[in-house]
Amino acid sequence: MILTVTLNAALDITYTVPALTPHASHRVREVRERPGGKGLNVARVLAALGHESVVTGFAGGPVGAVLRDLLAPLAPHDALVPIAGTSRRTLAVVDDASGDTTQLNEAGPTVSPAEWAAFLSSYDSLLREARAVALCGSLPPGIHVGAYAQLVRRAHAADVPVLLDTSGEPLRRGIAARPDLVKPNADELARLTGSREPLRAARDARRRGAHTVVASLGPDGVLAATPEGVWQATPPAPVKGNPTGAGDSAVAGLLSGLVERLPWPERLARAVALSAATVLAPAAGEFDAVAYEDLLPRIAVTERVAAA
């Protein structure tokens, strides 16, 4: 199985309105609720691709109960650790007129030292059965900034490859623990390295400890700096829709390619096709399967240089 970690899981609420206008009242055309947080989105896409997936992290309070109720009929297995605090909500407002999405994210509940210790015990047990692990998203209050570095080291001790998808200081600390793969977006990579040139920044991130860096470039696809070489994968054309969760679907593509031992060009094509197909889907954690099958053979993957 593939394990995904979402320390700050959320109940994702998506509102669709005809047009979003500041300082105005809006009639909501459609409301969707989904179990959310980056790792839960990744696990749902992995399950749709046919991979057994398990989600862990924290869930608590009435919001956490709704989140777990919504997760129960879905394919990923629920191994979330209960906490006393109430799980956060994220609100996405989709503007039908422009296709743009406005995102509002709560900070999340405070996690106690005892709850963190309970999570670590569960995490170590789950690693025994995992073929790969993804560490995804923000840290809730109460969790130390080096938490992901700690989890990377525990995965390595269990001989499990680990992907890290976070930002800011948790990313900086996590990279120093030498994860097998990091997947920042271009802005996160620039903040980490100080360079706005993606290839230079990706190489810098590798020098800081990441074994491989796959940088999301938005509508321009992804850039991968690996020990075997550097590739860029690009969709045939930009797609309009709700981009929430597109990066999480790319992570699912990379993880599934890892456990299937696909060559890098195939992994990257899958990641980009899934990401674009997620923009066309109504909510995060889903992708348009027809669009995915159509896009996959049309993703252009080019080798930028012989070695990273």
Side-chain angles (χ1 to χ4, degrees):
M1 63 90 167
I2 300 175
L3 177 64
T4 71
V5 174
T6 310
L7 297 178
N8 212 3
L11 176 63
D12 283 349
I13 305 169
T14 302
Y15 286 169
T16 301
V17 298
L20 182 61
T21 305
H23 316 299
S25 296
H26 297 78
R27 185 172 297 278
V28 176
R29 183 176 62 77
E30 184 179 19
V31 180
R32 289 174 174 266
E33 288 187 333
R34 293 288 186 275
K38 295 178 74 64
L40 272 73
N41 295 337
V42 172
R44 291 177 61 199
V45 174
L46 284 169
L49 293 172
H51 287 273
E52 180 186 2
S53 58
V54 174
V55 297
T56 189
F58 299 107
V63 175
V66 173
L67 187 160
R68 300 186 83 163
D69 285 346
L70 292 171
L71 183 61
L74 303 178
H77 175 68
D78 176 359
L80 294 166
V81 175
I83 57 172
T86 296
S87 296
R88 68 190 180 119
R89 293 160 297 185
T90 65
L91 178 64
V93 182
V94 179
D95 182 332
D96 262 350
S98 68
D100 293 336
T101 300
T102 299
Q103 191 83 18
L104 303 172
N105 298 327
E106 296 179 0
T110 298
V111 176
S112 72
E115 289 165 341
W116 177 242
F119 167 79
L120 289 177
S121 177
S122 175
Y123 177 69
D124 288 342
S125 296
L126 291 166
L127 285 174
R128 298 188 191 111
E129 304 297 326
R131 300 174 64 191
V133 58
L135 310 175
C136 302
S138 62
L139 299 177
I143 300 296
H144 62 93
V145 74
Y148 280 135
Q150 182 180 5
L151 299 185
V152 169
R153 289 191 291 268
R154 285 176 179 250
H156 284 166
D159 199 27
V160 178
V162 56
L163 181 152
L164 177 62
D165 183 13
T166 187
S167 61
E169 192 61 21
L171 175 61
R172 190 181 307 275
R173 300 281 188 96
I175 278 184
R178 302 188 177 279
D180 298 272
L181 175 61
V182 295
K183 196 217 66 66
N185 62 36
D187 287 341
E188 291 163 350
L189 191 58
R191 287 195 293 270
L192 174 72
T193 65
S195 174
R196 282 279 168 188
E197 202 290 304
L199 180 53
R200 180 179 302 164
R203 284 174 159 166
D204 187 355
R206 290 198 64 223
R207 286 191 291 270
R208 292 167 185 254
H211 186 259
T212 290
V213 177
V214 177
S216 294
L217 305 179
D220 294 325
V222 300
L223 175 74
T226 83
E228 292 81 27
V230 175
W231 289 270
Q232 184 164 350
T234 310
V239 294
K240 291 192 69 173
N242 181 3
T244 307
D248 306 331
S249 292
V251 169
L254 294 169
L255 278 175
S256 61
L258 184 155
V259 299
E260 293 172 31
R261 301 183 182 276
L262 297 180
W264 273 110
E266 292 183 36
R267 297 189 205 183
L268 300 174
R270 179 181 292 181
V272 171
L274 282 170
S275 181
T278 296
V279 174
L280 298 171
E286 302 174 5
F287 63 93
D288 185 318
V290 174
Y292 169 65
E293 294 296 338
D294 174 67
L295 284 164
L296 185 59
R298 299 194 294 125
I299 302 298
V301 183
T302 56
E303 189 167 9
R304 292 274 298 263
V305 294

